Amino acid sequence: MARRRKRLGEILVSWGIITDTALNDALGYAQEHHKRIGEALVELELASEEDVIKALATQFDLEYVDLDKNVHVPAALDLVDKKLIEREKFLPMKKEGGRLKIIISDPLDLETLDKLRFLLGMELDIALAPIGKIQRFIDTFLRSDVSDSVDQVFEQIDRDKDMLAKEQEAYKKEMEEDDGEAPVIKLVRLIINEAVRMRASDIHIEPMANRVRVRYRIDGVCIERDNIPKAMQASVIARVKIMSGIDIAERRLPQDGRIKARVGNSSIDFRVSSCPAYHGESVVLRILRPDSVKVGVTGLGLEQDHFEHFNNIIRQPNGIFLVTGPTGSGKTTTLYAALQELNRPDRKIITAEDPVEYNFAGMNQCQVREDIGLSFARILRAMLRQAPNIILVGEIRDREVGEVAIQAALTGHLVFSTLHTNDAPSAITRLIDMGIKPFLVASSIQAVLAQRLIRVICKECREIDPSPDRTVLKMLNISDEDLEGHHVYHGRGCNRCNGAGYRGRQGIFEIMEMNSQVRELAFNRAPASQIRQAARGAGMRTLLDDGRMKILRGVTTPDEVARLAQSEGIMIED
């Protein structure tokens, strides 16, 4: 009698990856949405794609290949047409005795396997790897429009100076035709595609005295990609302006625009800003990925106690919840995560944003337009006549917006907003400094959350740091006693993280819930230092404390917390 093949869910339960309850939830989700159980587990974030593929390999008795560790290029790549590899998303490994061994992600895709057998004219042996890793391998070693292509375009430009001169004279015509062949068009497209694949959040095109510098911001850190010849400056900037709908003739004033482009299988928006500088217009493309703000509350990086406080705060019936921090510290992502948690058919949510960067189903999102008098304050007043339950104000910038937000909170609305301060206690004094009456601040604020983003150690190359810098540990107040039972980790650098040792970011947080003592200090215009002391006495954990916890849990490195603490002005305690 044939042995029964174990089901995918059974394998993952036996490995301890998921529980029986989680499996039942995934089965229900899969049936409702007509998906396979593996797809359902990944979409519900109950198991990683890698776990599912490993379980599939076990289920079908196939080899699992870790493409992050096996980064050498197989010799069999030359035996198969590159376009076929890109189109069908597979990798040839080796050919033996008229059979070709290939890596795929879905052993049940029999139609594709039959097609490959026919096109390649040989029998296939199968190994498995996650589709994301297969795609990264293709991008790195095969795709013609990745890093090597960018370098080739630079070389082509250098070789043909006459073509550049012609292009600069007639670049408008070339841009409008957009035939994909002109070096300028190709170069801009390749820069955009490469930045998206490298998970960049921004592309910086910066004219210098004798070159144009291109940098990508990845995980909050700028990385220089390459230099564009100075002769290409006007054409490249004009191309970006045309794509984003900016007036190419205006070079004296700052301008803003947007690009909507398809990169791979994703439709991505780019917010474009041009600003006149000494050597020419500096252009920044902000890459807006819809998935980047849909991380959910559980993906923010909150420790368990902070997670419970956060969930309690956002479910208050009224009051103001402020998120503070400098630009780029993830404030908007945190507020959107809260709104997604609360976004239900029985609640009305209205937002006032400048600009509206991401669209969400079920929310009424209003765009601030100062040029026609549609300000934060005016939208807020209109919101109150719309009978909302929850209001998001993109930023409290002045007394007028602050007073209207407080009025909304005092009349039974839950108000979310952001503020630019270094820590949570400073938000109270900042509002009072704006001219808002202290008793209004004291009575309306429910809680203030301050945050920063720290880079997370790459999971693929994470290892124990045998000799962490004692000076940095001392600066962060991490003693030998703190390290008992814990290890300090770092990333050695690998293909997945591009040698950085970090991949992705998480927040470190400081949550100050208003109690009677803090409200009294706010009412009496106490300085931020006194408010901080009272909040810490009530159990508030500071940003640095939260950073230390993440170091001891192996999430990040001491160097990363120290870098952020110094650059963002977080107080290092004595």
Side-chain angles (χ1 to χ4, degrees), residues 40-91:
L41 287 165
V42 173
E43 288 187 16
L44 294 172
E45 298 183 354
L46 297 172
S48 68
E49 183 188 18
E50 190 170 2
D51 291 332
V52 170
I53 297 297
K54 285 180 178 178
L56 278 172
T58 300
Q59 183 184 23
F60 290 96
D61 197 22
L62 297 172
E63 179 186 354
Y64 173 82
V65 179
D66 189 341
L67 290 174
D68 284 331
K69 294 179 181 176
N70 297 280
V71 296
H72 60 281
V73 182
L77 283 179
D78 295 332
L79 301 176
V80 180
D81 181 64
K82 292 183 179 179
K83 290 182 180 178
L84 180 63
I85 293 174
E86 289 192 44
R87 187 172 69 246
E88 302 300 339
K89 307 295 187 238
F90 74 100
L91 292 173

Side-chain angles (χ1 to χ4, degrees), residues 169-285:
E169 291 172 7
Y171 67 80
K172 275 190 187 180
K173 182 180 176 182
E174 287 181 351
M175 304 304 179
E176 288 166 1
E177 290 174 359
D178 197 4
D179 60 3
E181 296 301 322
V184 175
I185 295 171
K186 187 187 294 185
L187 176 61
V188 172
R189 175 170 53 83
L190 295 180
I191 287 172
I192 288 174
N193 290 356
E194 184 184 50
V196 170
R197 278 192 287 273
M198 290 180 70
R199 301 179 303 105
S201 59
D202 306 276
I203 304 170
H204 298 260
I205 302 173
E206 303 164 317
M208 302 291 171
N210 56 2
R211 62 191 173 101
V212 179
R213 182 170 66 177
V214 177
R215 295 193 292 173
Y216 303 150
R217 188 183 297 276
I218 301 173
D219 292 335
V221 177
C222 280
I223 296 172
E224 189 163 336
R225 173 60 185 91
D226 219 320
N227 296 316
I228 299 173
K230 189 70 174 176
M232 288 293 295
Q233 177 176 317
S235 298
V236 168
I237 291 174
R239 173 60 183 162
V240 175
K241 282 184 166 186
I242 287 173
M243 291 175 70
S244 56
I246 292 176
D247 182 3
I248 62 172
E250 179 57 73
R251 302 179 183 179
R252 300 165 300 169
L253 297 173
Q255 297 185 84
D256 295 304
R258 285 186 91 119
I259 299 172
K260 193 173 188 69
R262 191 153 195 89
V263 179
N265 296 322
S266 303
S267 181
I268 296 177
D269 284 344
F270 299 82
R271 196 175 76 201
V272 181
S273 171
S274 70
C275 181
Y278 186 78
H279 294 294
E281 289 176 283
S282 173
V283 177
V284 176
L285 291 79

Side-chain angles (χ1 to χ4, degrees), residues 410-467:
L410 294 176
T411 52
H413 302 87
L414 180 59
V415 180
F416 294 154
S417 191
T418 69
L419 201 63
H420 285 98
T421 62
N422 278 333
D423 56 18
S426 299
I428 304 298
T429 55
R430 173 85 178 104
L431 291 172
I432 294 171
D433 289 343
M434 282 182 184
I436 301 172
K437 294 180 175 60
F439 75 90
L440 291 176
V441 174
S443 58
S444 62
I445 303 293
Q446 289 286 357
V448 183
L449 180 145
Q451 69 177 73
R452 302 289 189 279
L453 290 178
I454 55 169
R455 290 182 293 172
V456 174
I457 300 171
C458 174
K459 293 179 181 177
E460 298 297 327
C461 60
R462 175 176 173 267
E463 62 184 15
I464 295 173
D465 187 350
S467 55

Side-chain angles (χ1 to χ4, degrees), residues 128-413:
L128 298 184
I131 185 62
K133 293 189 177 184
I134 292 174
Q135 185 63 58
R136 277 200 305 275
F137 197 97
I138 291 172
D139 290 344
T140 303
F141 294 110
L142 283 181
R143 183 159 280 184
S144 59
D145 58 352
V146 196
S147 303
D148 291 343
S149 285
V150 177
D151 295 333
Q152 289 167 13
V153 172
F154 284 137
E155 290 169 10
Q156 176 187 344
I157 289 167
D158 285 334
R159 286 195 304 265
D160 200 342
K161 297 293 183 182
D162 293 335
M163 182 188 293
L164 296 186
K166 260 182 205 178
E167 277 179 10
Q168 283 187 291
E169 291 172 7
Y171 67 80
K172 275 190 187 180
K173 182 180 176 182
E174 287 181 351
M175 304 304 179
E176 288 166 1
E177 290 174 359
D178 197 4
D179 60 3
E181 296 301 322
V184 175
I185 295 171
K186 187 187 294 185
L187 176 61
V188 172
R189 175 170 53 83
L190 295 180
I191 287 172
I192 288 174
N193 290 356
E194 184 184 50
V196 170
R197 278 192 287 273
M198 290 180 70
R199 301 179 303 105
S201 59
D202 306 276
I203 304 170
H204 298 260
I205 302 173
E206 303 164 317
M208 302 291 171
N210 56 2
R211 62 191 173 101
V212 179
R213 182 170 66 177
V214 177
R215 295 193 292 173
Y216 303 150
R217 188 183 297 276
I218 301 173
D219 292 335
V221 177
C222 280
I223 296 172
E224 189 163 336
R225 173 60 185 91
D226 219 320
N227 296 316
I228 299 173
K230 189 70 174 176
M232 288 293 295
Q233 177 176 317
S235 298
V236 168
I237 291 174
R239 173 60 183 162
V240 175
K241 282 184 166 186
I242 287 173
M243 291 175 70
S244 56
I246 292 176
D247 182 3
I248 62 172
E250 179 57 73
R251 302 179 183 179
R252 300 165 300 169
L253 297 173
Q255 297 185 84
D256 295 304
R258 285 186 91 119
I259 299 172
K260 193 173 188 69
R262 191 153 195 89
V263 179
N265 296 322
S266 303
S267 181
I268 296 177
D269 284 344
F270 299 82
R271 196 175 76 201
V272 181
S273 171
S274 70
C275 181
Y278 186 78
H279 294 294
E281 289 176 283
S282 173
V283 177
V284 176
L285 291 79
R286 177 86 182 271
I287 302 173
L288 305 175
R289 295 180 177 82
D291 293 341
S292 67
V293 290
K294 295 181 180 178
V295 296
V297 174
T298 55
L300 295 174
L302 293 157
E303 300 293 334
Q304 185 59 37
D305 57 339
H306 275 170
F307 179 78
E308 293 170 2
H309 290 163
F310 185 88
N311 275 307
N312 289 335
I313 291 163
I314 65 175
R315 285 171 172 76
Q316 296 292 323
N318 54 54
I320 295 180
F321 176 40
L322 288 175
V323 179
T324 76
T327 301
S329 59
K331 301 187 296 296
T332 302
T333 300
T334 298
L335 287 179
Y336 276 144
L339 290 182
Q340 288 175 79
E341 190 75 15
L342 301 173
N343 189 12
R344 300 288 183 271
D346 61 336
R347 296 190 182 103
K348 177 157 185 171
I349 300 174
I350 305 181
T351 75
E353 303 171 62
D354 182 19
V356 175
E357 294 185 345
Y358 302 97
N359 294 313
F360 292 89
M363 299 184 199
N364 301 274
Q365 295 174 268
C366 303
Q367 168 80 53
V368 171
R369 292 188 59 189
E370 296 285 357
D371 56 327
I372 61 171
L374 191 59
S375 62
F376 273 119
R378 190 166 182 178
I379 293 175
L380 261 175
R381 291 192 181 93
M383 281 180 181
L384 297 180
R385 295 192 290 271
Q386 297 272 316
N389 301 104
I390 300 166
I391 293 171
L392 167 67
V393 185
E395 182 185 347
I396 295 180
R397 297 179 176 177
D398 52 41
R399 185 180 70 180
E400 185 181 17
V401 176
E403 286 179 345
V404 178
I406 285 173
Q407 192 62 38
L410 294 176
T411 52
H413 302 87

